[in-house]
Amino acid sequence: KSIISNFSLEVKTGEKIIIAGPNGCGKTTLLKCILGIIKPTAGLVELAPGETTAYCKQDFPNSEFPITAAEVVAMGLSGRDKTAIDESLKKAGAFELKNRLFYTLSGGERQKVSLARCFCQNASLLLLDEPSSFLDTKSKKSLINQMKELEKETFSIIAVTHDEEIISELE
């Protein structure tokens, strides 16, 4: 079934875009098309030559695999650059979590670590899928502040959400 039709989007370098809509309207599908995980039934998705993407998804595997938060962030790197890992964790407000096992973290803490992994990738396009999911009120306020800080960054962001507070705070 067609979820999105007659849609065109060009993201300029450094541009920050929020796509809002209710659950089930195709926001995550759009991100997965951009990533090449899902092929569009019509039309095409083109990334500029050399453009790289990082994806912060809204759900996490339910596994007790013994990996630390810092190791999850390191997955965004080709090597183990401790400085880049620490800087990314700090930028995401998750530095104090770096030695904790990922599976022991709350949903909001996992979301912060996932965001740090994306920062660590140094991608030119950051895709955020419901970035406020699993966050308590304090963590959501922190995310809003982080998103405002990201306005200064040179990478582009497409964030999809149905969270009215995020939408109104970042308009």
Side-chain angles (χ1 to χ4, degrees), residues 59-81:
D59 58 350
F60 306 98
N62 215 4
S63 168
E64 292 189 10
F65 190 75
I67 185 170
T68 67
E71 290 168 327
V72 169
V73 174
M75 290 178 184
L77 293 171
S78 57
R80 293 240 186 235
D81 181 346

Side-chain angles (χ1 to χ4, degrees), residues 1-168:
K1 135 179 165 177
S2 181
I3 296 176
I4 301 171
S5 60
N6 298 321
F7 181 80
S8 178
L9 174 67
E10 181 180 342
V11 182
K12 295 175 178 51
T13 302
E15 192 170 15
K16 313 303 188 253
I17 297 170
I18 294 178
I19 298 174
N23 287 334
C25 74
K27 301 181 305 291
T28 297
T29 300
L30 173 63
L31 294 184
K32 289 181 177 180
C33 284
I34 293 169
L35 288 164
I37 296 170
I38 296 174
K39 287 189 133 249
T41 56
L44 61 120
V45 175
E46 291 180 315
L47 296 176
E51 186 165 37
T52 56
T53 59
Y55 178 51
C56 186
K57 59 186 186 170
Q58 64 178 307
D59 58 350
F60 306 98
N62 215 4
S63 168
E64 292 189 10
F65 190 75
I67 185 170
T68 67
E71 290 168 327
V72 169
V73 174
M75 290 178 184
L77 293 171
S78 57
R80 293 240 186 235
D81 181 346
K82 186 180 178 329
T83 303
I85 293 167
D86 287 352
E87 287 174 4
S88 296
L89 283 162
K90 286 176 187 172
K91 186 185 264 186
F95 184 74
E96 73 282 354
L97 304 173
K98 75 183 232 175
N99 295 316
R100 297 216 3 231
L101 292 174
F102 187 73
Y103 76 86
T104 67
L105 302 178
S106 71
E109 291 169 331
R110 289 180 184 195
Q111 192 76 317
K112 289 179 181 181
V113 171
S114 183
L115 187 59
R117 180 188 43 77
C118 288
F119 291 153
C120 211
Q121 288 179 269
N122 275 337
S124 53
L125 177 61
L126 180 57
L127 304 174
L128 305 177
D129 191 357
E130 298 290 353
S132 62
S133 61
F134 306 108
L135 298 183
D136 59 22
T137 303
K138 181 180 174 190
S139 294
K140 190 185 290 191
K141 292 287 185 201
S142 175
L143 173 71
I144 290 168
N145 290 334
Q146 287 168 329
M147 296 291 285
K148 288 177 180 176
E149 284 295 312
L150 294 178
E151 286 291 325
K152 302 169 190 166
E153 299 286 341
T154 57
F155 53 80
S156 303
I157 298 175
I158 299 175
V160 300
T161 188
H162 67 273
D163 187 316
E164 294 294 332
E165 184 179 359
I166 295 285
I167 295 164
S168 67

